[in-house]
Amino acid sequence: MTNSMPMNQDVAERHGLTQEEYQKILAFLGREPNLLELGVFSVMWSEHCSYKSSKVHLKKLPTAGARVLQGPGENAGVVDIGDGLAAVFKIESHNHPSFIEPYQGAATGVGGILRDIFTMGARPVALLDSLRFGPMEIPKNRYLLEGVVSGIAGYGNCMGIPTVGGEIYFNEIYNQNPLVNVFCLGIAKKDRIFRASASGVGNTVIYIGSKTGRDGIHGATMASEGFDESIEARRPTVQVGDPFTEKLLLEACLEIMKRGLVVGIQDMGAAGLTSSSVEMAGRGGTGVELDLSLVPRREEGMSPYEVMLSESQERMLLVAKPGMESEILGVCARWDLDAAVIGRVTDSRRLVLKEEGRIVADLPVSSLTDDAPVYERPMEAPAYLDAVQGISLDLIPQPSDSGDALMTLLRSPTIASKRWVYQQYDHMVRTNTVIPPGFEAAVVRVKETRKALVLSLGGNGAYGLLNPYRGGVIAVCEAARNVVCAGGRPIGLTDCLNFGNPEKPAVMWQFALSVEGIADACRELEIPVVSGNVSFYNETNGLDIYPTPIIGMVGLIEDVARVVRPGFQDEGDRIVLLGETKEELGGTEYLKQVHSREGGFPPLLDLAVEKVLQNCCLDAIEAGIIKSAHDCSEGGLAVALAEAAMMSVRSLGAAVTLPDLPIRMDAYLFGETQSRIVVTVKEVRLDELEKRCAEKGVPTAVIGRVGGNRLTIRAERSGRPSIDLSVEAMRTAWQGAIESHFQESSQGR
């Protein structure tokens, strides 16, 4: 066997393996591994591939449901949407690569999630992205945002997949650790779902796609470590993407699957050829033998170590049906793709690697998959918790001018229009987009049916910091609420759990509580988790990001004609607030932007109340009663009303009078009490809505009427307007907030 140089603990540690893990490898093999074998263990046992710190907690998530065709464990989740069709979706992170090299990091993140979807036999139809950056006053953050947005646009636009929505938050904690989470949804025939399994002893293993290079080696290991000042030296671990090759790969794979030529197929993503071959063998209960000298290469002199650990993009590994090899190779030739038979499925349950006839690695598959380390890491509430939660509202002065406070919030990049971002995306390609970017949820039509799918992304890291459990609960409920407000019934979700260093007890405490919150919310709302991703080690120089679980929610509309938008529709429509408002200012954007404070307790959320609210709103939408619906979230009721006016096609304002409540006025206007929706109805159907809500126990308040070109909000107790602003002035502030930073930047050059 080549690569037989003796290993030692220092070499193992440089591969990210602990002393205990190295001893475990020695026990499995009964000998020292060679360098290639050590590299294979290092990537397969990395946090990114093995989920060794999160597995014990992820088991708490509910994954079953009447519509679930495939839950976690495959490349993507699959749910039944009727008419013989299935929605295939997943969210992934590309955080570390995007900080090192923002364009390629984001672009290859898009490429990877697209492959996860079409590997299952689905044609991708929509992309969404969830991003986190530091404040744009800092030039590095503007550079990162520009590069990431360009990378997402460049890859998605070239592929012809519309980017239809997403969300962005800005906070100082992401200065050194931006988050780039990308969601993709595809449509497939429910009886034509493909899985990543190497079955059928003797079947051939075929490599297709781009040639293998040295880019991305140890990308999975890098994604399982924190950062320090050596970050610039890590650029070689970032992959380089080619969307034009990916487009050819997509079409070739879909043709191969449509013709029924394969028994299994797997994307070469994190850990490249290593993870794809090992995971396929693991799922199939088989072994795999590969001849690495047959792998197409674009660089001379590549070692077996480099071939196996390369994360070059746009590559797939297939297991062919017997006798179908020539047809597969013929399809690849027509699509101008490299393809080669590089191995076969065996009954050995071992990964055997050869180079020019010599065995260079021989490892039991189970030691790389089922027997990988699983940790129940120590957990402890962070010492800072009492300090950040302990904000007394008595010390927070109410604003002298609520209108100015509202304008401050509308200029906050977290709340402001993301037009500067989404106008760089082609969101209308394939002509399925019903509700475009710029709203809380996107809607895409399911071709050749009357159905539509509603897609929403969300998660508030500030809530996670102050109370991880509530942060998880709110992330699920708000994503579901956004889907409901568009007229969709939530049918499944995917999550991307972005956290700091899991070796710190405080981070594991945050993670465990966040997962519990997500699990409890999913059980109550009866929404299964069908796929997901965990991104740990989002830290630089020991500073961890806020706990940031991102929820990707998918909802189904049976009749696309029932789609509802958040903007005001017609003069004279009555405005109704569904849900109860409480005095809750902890963790709000108002505290951060107006008072420069982050702290307090995030809003409480009663899951039973939330479920009733969502069902009541959805029933009223399906009955044709509700004309517009908008969730109350960041910025509270005042921002929701302002957005409904600004999103109105006719720039309609509203006259609003708030019923008297025994709470602070700033909490009434800007508090982020959960389980609230602002809806509009025709005057003649107001009684019908109120009756439905009363029967289900949903509090309602008729708070105003649509009309004019100004938003006025007055308190019933005083009769004087607290806010009186023109829709145009609000829109100017809201739309220009992000753009202004880049205009100032270009003028300064």
Side-chain angles (χ1 to χ4, degrees):
M1 185 182 296
T2 61
N3 292 315
S4 57
M5 63 174 286
M7 293 297 101
N8 57 47
Q9 185 60 42
D10 289 342
V11 177
E13 287 180 358
R14 290 200 296 273
H15 280 73
L17 294 164
T18 66
Q19 182 175 350
E20 293 75 15
E21 289 169 347
Y22 185 60
Q23 292 302 314
K24 191 172 182 178
I25 291 170
L26 295 179
F28 278 134
L29 299 183
R31 59 176 172 83
E32 285 191 331
N34 62 39
L35 183 62
L36 171 58
E37 292 171 331
L38 191 72
V40 170
F41 270 107
S42 76
V43 292
M44 292 307 299
W45 284 13
S46 69
E47 194 72 60
H48 192 75
C49 291
S50 73
Y51 286 54
K52 57 189 175 186
S53 298
S54 58
K55 274 184 179 179
V56 294
H57 301 287
L58 296 177
K59 292 177 181 178
K60 302 170 186 175
L61 297 172
T63 59
R67 291 183 179 271
V68 177
L69 301 175
Q70 176 64 58
E74 274 289 342
N75 288 293
V78 186
V79 295
D80 189 343
I81 60 172
D83 293 337
L85 299 175
V88 181
F89 55 94
K90 190 182 182 185
I91 187 171
E92 276 277 4
S93 63
H94 236 220
N95 303 335
H96 283 49
S98 298
F99 186 40
I100 299 171
E101 182 19 79
Y103 184 93
Q104 290 295 346
T108 52
V110 173
I113 196 65
L114 286 170
R115 291 193 299 279
D116 282 341
I117 300 307
F118 69 76
T119 296
M120 302 292 293
R123 180 173 290 279
V125 298
L127 290 161
L128 294 89
D129 50 76
S130 176
L131 311 176
R132 299 290 182 275
F133 295 96
M136 284 186 295
E137 290 78 8
I138 299 174
K140 177 67 179 286
N141 293 332
R142 294 197 298 271
Y143 159 76
L144 290 170
L145 177 58
E146 281 189 291
V148 164
V149 170
S150 295
I152 292 169
Y155 210 102
N157 292 355
C158 289
M159 285 290 295
I161 311 299
T163 301
V164 297
E167 46 103 60
I168 312 178
Y169 282 64
F170 296 87
N171 189 289
E172 293 81 358
I173 200 66
Y174 303 109
N175 274 334
Q176 300 297 313
N177 279 278
L179 303 183
V180 178
N181 294 179
V182 184
F183 167 101
C184 186
L185 176 133
I187 303 295
K189 292 186 180 298
K190 63 178 288 187
D191 60 351
R192 301 288 291 173
I193 302 299
F194 287 80
R195 292 168 173 84
S197 175
S199 58
V201 173
N203 285 342
T204 53
V205 177
I206 301 180
Y207 171 118
I208 73 171
S210 293
K211 290 182 172 68
T212 295
R214 290 188 170 94
D215 56 315
I217 292 175
H218 274 299
T221 306
M222 179 268 290
S224 305
E225 299 172 343
F227 280 157
D228 54 28
E229 290 82 358
S230 66
I231 182 172
E232 292 298 323
R234 296 174 180 257
R235 286 184 185 274
T237 62
V238 178
Q239 311 93 329
V240 178
D242 178 1
F244 300 103
T245 298
E246 177 118 337
K247 175 63 174 172
L248 301 177
L249 184 63
L250 182 155
E251 298 299 342
C253 287
L254 291 181
E255 181 179 340
I256 287 168
M257 289 184 280
K258 184 177 181 180
R259 291 169 60 175
L261 305 180
V262 295
V263 296
I265 179 169
Q266 170 79 354
D267 162 40
M268 289 190 227
L273 185 54
T274 294
S275 63
S276 56
S277 57
V278 169
E279 289 172 2
M280 290 183 79
R283 292 187 183 112
T286 58
V288 170
E289 182 180 294
L290 303 179
D291 187 341
L292 301 184
S293 62
L294 302 176
V295 173
R297 307 181 191 187
R298 65 169 181 259
E299 299 184 49
E300 296 291 332
M302 290 186 70
S303 67
Y305 181 98
E306 292 172 321
V307 171
M308 286 301 292
L309 271 64
S310 167
E311 293 184 10
S312 294
Q313 297 291 285
E314 294 88 37
R315 302 180 301 161
M316 288 281 187
L317 200 64
L318 317 179
V319 174
K321 284 186 176 179
M324 297 300 177
E325 295 86 355
S326 61
E327 287 195 50
I328 292 172
L329 297 177
V331 170
C332 293
R334 267 199 319 281
W335 288 104
D336 198 24
L337 292 170
D338 283 291
V341 175
I342 65 168
R344 63 188 181 91
V345 178
T346 70
D347 61 1
S348 68
R349 299 197 175 190
R350 300 185 73 83
L351 174 70
V352 177
L353 306 177
K354 296 182 177 180
E355 175 81 351
E356 296 180 349
R358 300 187 305 275
I359 294 177
V360 293
D362 186 353
L363 301 170
V365 170
S366 62
S367 69
L368 301 168
T369 55
D370 297 341
D371 297 328
V374 176
Y375 296 125
E376 293 192 43
R377 295 195 184 276
M379 297 186 293
E380 184 179 357
Y384 64 74
L385 203 58
D386 288 342
V388 296
Q389 289 178 344
I391 285 184
S392 172
L393 291 185
D394 293 337
L395 301 178
I396 303 295
Q398 298 211 43
S400 58
D401 188 325
S402 295
D404 284 349
L406 175 56
M407 292 294 275
T408 297
L409 286 170
L410 296 179
R411 292 189 188 98
S412 163
T414 293
I415 288 176
S417 168
K418 309 307 184 293
R419 183 179 65 174
W420 181 87
V421 174
Y422 65 71
Q423 68 185 0
Q424 300 181 51
Y425 303 149
D426 185 346
H427 64 268
M428 290 306 296
V429 64
R430 304 189 65 82
T431 68
N432 292 325
T433 307
V434 179
I435 293 184
F439 301 95
E440 278 67 24
V443 179
V444 292
R445 184 181 294 104
V446 180
K447 273 192 170 15
E448 299 179 4
T449 75
R450 295 189 61 81
K451 300 177 187 290
L453 293 171
V454 188
L455 316 173
S456 178
L457 284 183
N460 189 322
Y463 292 165
L465 172 74
L466 300 174
N467 188 304
Y469 177 84
R470 288 193 204 174
V473 168
I474 291 171
V476 172
C477 291
E478 187 175 332
R481 210 180 306 132
N482 287 332
V483 165
V484 165
C485 286
R489 189 170 296 278
I491 58 174
L493 71 80
T494 181
D495 55 29
C496 194
L497 307 178
N498 305 275
F499 288 78
N501 185 340
E503 296 166 46
K504 297 178 181 178
V507 171
M508 279 313 301
W509 178 84
Q510 292 170 336
F511 182 82
L513 263 66
S514 293
V515 171
E516 284 185 23
I518 292 169
D520 286 349
C522 287
R523 273 190 289 270
E524 181 66 31
L525 300 182
E526 300 178 75
I527 304 171
V529 180
V530 299
S531 61
N533 175 62
V534 176
S535 175
F536 277 134
Y537 293 98
N538 291 289
E539 64 164 356
T540 297
N541 294 325
L543 179 63
D544 298 290
I545 64 163
Y546 291 168
T548 312
I550 302 299
I551 301 298
M553 187 71 66
V554 176
L556 177 64
I557 300 177
E558 293 290 348
D559 186 349
V560 70
R562 288 296 187 200
V563 169
V564 170
R565 288 170 169 78
F568 294 144
Q569 298 296 303
D570 294 298
E571 293 261 4
D573 287 345
R574 300 309 304 270
I575 304 169
V576 182
L577 176 62
L578 307 184
E580 181 182 1
T581 301
K582 302 172 185 176
E583 189 170 272
E584 295 175 307
L585 285 173
T588 60
E589 193 70 7
Y590 164 74
L591 275 188
K592 180 173 175 57
Q593 297 301 327
V594 177
H595 297 286
S596 301
R597 301 287 298 271
E598 279 189 294
F601 286 92
L604 287 168
L605 193 150
D606 185 316
L607 285 167
V609 169
E610 179 74 34
K611 183 176 183 179
V612 170
L613 171 84
Q614 291 191 19
N615 287 336
C616 181
C617 182
L618 188 56
D619 289 346
I621 288 173
E622 292 176 343
I625 299 170
I626 290 176
K627 296 179 67 175
S628 74
H630 189 15
D631 166 44
C632 288
S633 55
E634 283 75 24
L637 177 58
V639 167
L641 290 165
E643 288 176 339
M646 294 183 295
M647 293 174 181
S648 167
V649 175
R650 304 174 190 175
S651 296
L652 293 171
V656 173
T657 300
L658 300 179
D660 193 16
L661 285 178
I663 63 175
R664 294 168 52 124
M665 195 61 193
D666 56 352
Y668 210 151
L669 292 170
F670 309 119
E672 295 172 7
T673 297
Q674 297 295 296
S675 308
R676 295 184 300 164
I677 301 173
V678 174
V679 304
T680 60
V681 297
K682 284 184 178 180
E683 180 90 47
V684 295
R685 305 202 72 175
L686 180 58
D687 288 346
E688 188 177 352
L689 176 65
E690 290 184 300
K691 181 179 179 182
R692 282 174 173 262
C693 291
E695 288 173 350
K696 296 186 177 181
V698 174
T700 61
V702 181
I703 61 173
R705 190 184 299 272
V706 175
N709 59 8
R710 303 184 70 81
L711 174 64
T712 62
I713 304 177
R714 69 183 71 234
E716 188 177 64
R717 71 181 82 160
S718 69
R720 297 191 307 274
S722 296
I723 293 171
D724 185 359
L725 298 168
S726 74
V727 175
E728 187 56 35
M730 293 190 299
R731 182 182 284 113
T732 299
W734 180 67
Q735 287 188 339
I738 291 178
E739 295 172 6
S740 65
H741 287 279
F742 292 97
Q743 291 165 358
E744 292 169 6
S745 177
S746 63
Q747 290 168 3
R749 286 198 288 265

